[in-house]
């Protein structure tokens, strides 16, 4: 099968940092599904679309297609040639993204963009190993306690750690439906591990 490595898990479990480092080590692109959902959520906010209105979001995506440009070092999300990436990791997007991502047709749109990417690649998200790339030969699911995840994210955001933990727990709940480890995924609790240790643990499962 083509080389696809899936890394799923909740917010701030380490998915994107770990996926990027594995991708760099293997010299293949890294693909962030969450960044696409964030791109859609940003457009919803910017155009004043109701996040609960699935048909309106699909209309918005038809008028302004959102696309992902993957590469080894980071991903960019574009709409109408405009780079949305600098606006996607904010508390405003965090607050609305799960509501946008719960619509089946929004998920189908994002999944179609992901399936256009030619393997090999490392892809991270919530349901990469279950719904989108069920035949991927290497699957991982990262976890960490909410307190640890909140402390990690607090180093990247202006908000205080309590507000961040509250939002992470809320997103965990809202994302629960698409956030199950695949039966054939290796589950790694990263709470007590450094980034290097997580990367090392994953590399041990991959072909040399
Ligand atoms: P996710 O993509 O799952 O939301 P990130 O990769 O963005 O998570 O990680 C969130 C933050 O936590 C980043 O600043 C990252 O450097 C840090 N981080 C990730 N994994 C670890 C770890 N095992 N130990 C310490 N810090 C980590
Ligand atoms: O890095 P963090 O986990 O905070 O966020 P992300 O991976 O960028 O994902 C942002 C949001 O997109 C999640 O909270 C989910 O609502 C949604 N998402 C999803 O539903 N399915 C995915 N495969 C990836 C993200």
């Amino acid at each position: 099968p083509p080389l696809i490595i899936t890394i799923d898990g909740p917010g701030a479990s380490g998915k994107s940092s770990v996926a990027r480092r594995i991708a760099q080590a293997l010299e293949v692109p890294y693909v962030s599904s969450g960044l696409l959902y964030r791109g859609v959520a940003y457009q919803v906010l910017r155009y004043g679309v109701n996040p609960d209105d699935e048909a309106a979001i699909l209309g918005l995506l038809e008028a302004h297609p959102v696309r992902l440009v993957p590469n080894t070092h980071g991903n960019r999300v574009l709409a109408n040639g405009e780079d949305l990436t600098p606006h996607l990791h904010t508390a405003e997007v965090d607050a609305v993204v799960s509501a946008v991502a719960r619509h089946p047709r929004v998920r189908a749109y994002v999944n179609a963009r992901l399936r256009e990417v030619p393997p090999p690649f490392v892809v991270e998200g919530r349901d990469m190993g279950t719904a989108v790339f069920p035949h991927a030969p290497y699957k991982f699911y990262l976890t960490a306690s909410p307190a640890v995840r909140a402390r990690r994210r607090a180093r990247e955001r202006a908000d205080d750690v309590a507000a961040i933990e509250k939002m992470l727990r809320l997103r965990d709940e809202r994302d629960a439906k698409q956030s199950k480890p695949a039966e054939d995924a290796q589950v790694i609790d990263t709470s007590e591990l450094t980034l290097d240790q997580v990367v090392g643990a994953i590399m041990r499962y991959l072909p040399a």
Side-chain angles (χ1 to χ4, degrees):
L3 181 70
I4 297 178
I5 297 166
T6 65
I7 301 180
D8 290 305
S13 57
K15 302 177 299 292
S16 58
S17 316
V18 170
R20 198 179 305 119
R21 296 193 31 185
I22 302 283
Q24 282 168 7
L26 302 180
E27 300 184 348
V28 302
Y30 137 74
V31 178
S32 169
S33 60
L35 206 61
L36 262 173
Y37 285 106
R38 287 175 177 276
V40 179
Y42 176 73
Q43 294 289 79
V44 161
L45 288 171
R46 164 206 250 180
Y47 287 95
V49 169
N50 177 355
D52 295 326
D53 188 341
E54 182 174 31
I57 300 172
L58 266 293
L60 178 67
L61 288 170
E62 224 167 273
H64 308 283
V66 170
R67 63 188 193 91
L68 184 71
V69 183
N71 67 54
T72 312
H73 291 272
N75 286 207
R76 315 222 61 89
V77 169
L78 309 182
N80 305 323
E82 186 195 348
D83 189 355
L84 308 182
T85 321
H87 312 296
L88 303 184
H89 287 285
T90 65
E92 290 72 23
V93 171
D94 284 353
V96 79
V97 64
S98 299
V100 170
R102 94 188 143 79
H103 301 298
R105 287 195 291 149
V106 172
R107 304 197 69 78
Y109 180 93
V110 166
N111 294 346
R113 301 290 77 74
L114 296 168
R115 293 191 183 110
E116 289 166 357
V117 180
F121 54 75
V122 182
V123 63
E124 53 98 355
R126 299 289 186 288
D127 57 350
M128 296 302 100
T130 50
V132 188
F133 301 108
H135 303 299
Y138 302 101
K139 299 182 184 181
F140 302 91
Y141 194 93
L142 305 185
T143 65
S145 69
V148 167
R149 291 187 281 128
R151 273 196 305 262
R152 289 178 184 168
R153 183 105 319 152
R155 292 192 225 114
E156 315 170 318
R157 294 277 206 283
D159 282 319
D160 68 280
V161 67
I164 289 172
E165 183 170 338
K166 203 170 152 203
M167 180 54 66
L168 278 172
R169 285 179 183 274
L170 193 60
R171 279 204 292 136
D172 286 354
E173 263 172 55
R174 290 176 175 165
D175 295 336
K177 202 171 157 197
Q178 66 263 25
S179 304
K180 307 264 192 311
E183 272 181 37
D184 52 347
Q186 301 294 335
V187 178
I188 301 174
D189 185 341
T190 74
S191 301
E192 311 274 319
L193 302 178
T194 66
L195 215 47
D196 275 336
Q197 288 172 323
V198 181
V199 170
I202 289 180
M203 291 300 273
R204 278 196 285 283
Y205 289 100
L206 305 180

